[in-house]
Amino acid sequence: MGFYKDQKSASQGIPYHSEIPVSLKDAVCEVAVDYKKKKHVFKLKITDGNEYLFQAKDDEEMNTWISAISAAVSGDKSEVTPSSHSTPAPAARAQTLPASVATTTAESSPGKREKDKEKRFSLFSKKK
């Protein structure tokens, strides 16, 4: 399982922070019942001892991800179904998380985008 910054990076095969893909062989994916800081969190435990926490937007999306990852672990391609927010992938082997950042930027007004841009590129507010 590989991780990408965005859809463009995924389509170009450029991994996030040059991380190598994680092997799902004998991995376990389950709801993180012991994690209380945030809702809809699940964990992926891999055989080298590492544990990854993921947060979904709701229980339905979380269960979809758990099912898809568990199916990939077991090698059952019939159970791996991309969600409506996922990027189509060859043989349904990979999925991307919903791009909520892109939708919120597109929905905002031009004035708001300018203010957001100003916040990102300046430590001090602009004097008007």
Side-chain angles (χ1 to χ4, degrees):
M1 182 160 106
F3 301 95
Y4 301 94
K5 179 180 178 182
D6 53 25
Q7 189 172 6
K8 180 180 176 184
S9 297
S11 66
Q12 295 173 346
I14 302 170
Y16 189 64
H17 289 292
S18 302
E19 293 281 334
I20 59 171
V22 174
S23 172
L24 294 179
K25 185 178 186 320
D26 299 324
V28 176
C29 187
E30 60 192 8
V31 177
V33 292
D34 55 340
Y35 189 80
K36 304 291 184 201
K37 291 182 182 179
K38 298 190 181 263
K39 293 180 179 182
H40 319 299
V41 174
F42 62 97
K43 62 184 165 185
L44 175 65
K45 294 182 198 177
I46 57 176
T47 54
D48 67 3
N50 286 321
E51 224 176 67
Y52 296 88
L53 293 175
F54 298 91
Q55 183 182 19
K57 66 178 179 180
D58 55 25
D59 280 340
E60 181 183 352
E61 184 180 65
M62 179 180 67
N63 291 326
T64 300
W65 275 102
I66 292 171
S67 297
I69 293 170
S70 297
V73 169
S74 67
D76 184 1
K77 301 280 189 211
S78 66
E79 286 186 38
V80 180
T81 55
S83 70
S84 60
H85 299 288
S86 298
T87 304
R93 285 183 28 205
Q95 297 178 339
T96 57
L97 290 174
S100 59
V101 175
T103 57
T104 56
T105 307
E107 293 169 2
S108 61
S109 66
K112 178 157 174 32
R113 278 185 261 157
E114 284 300 317
K115 283 184 181 179
D116 289 344
K117 187 176 180 182
E118 186 179 309
K119 286 179 188 174
R120 278 185 293 185
F121 296 112
S122 174
L123 295 175
F124 304 100
S125 62
K126 209 175 185 181
K127 293 191 177 179
K128 295 181 181 183

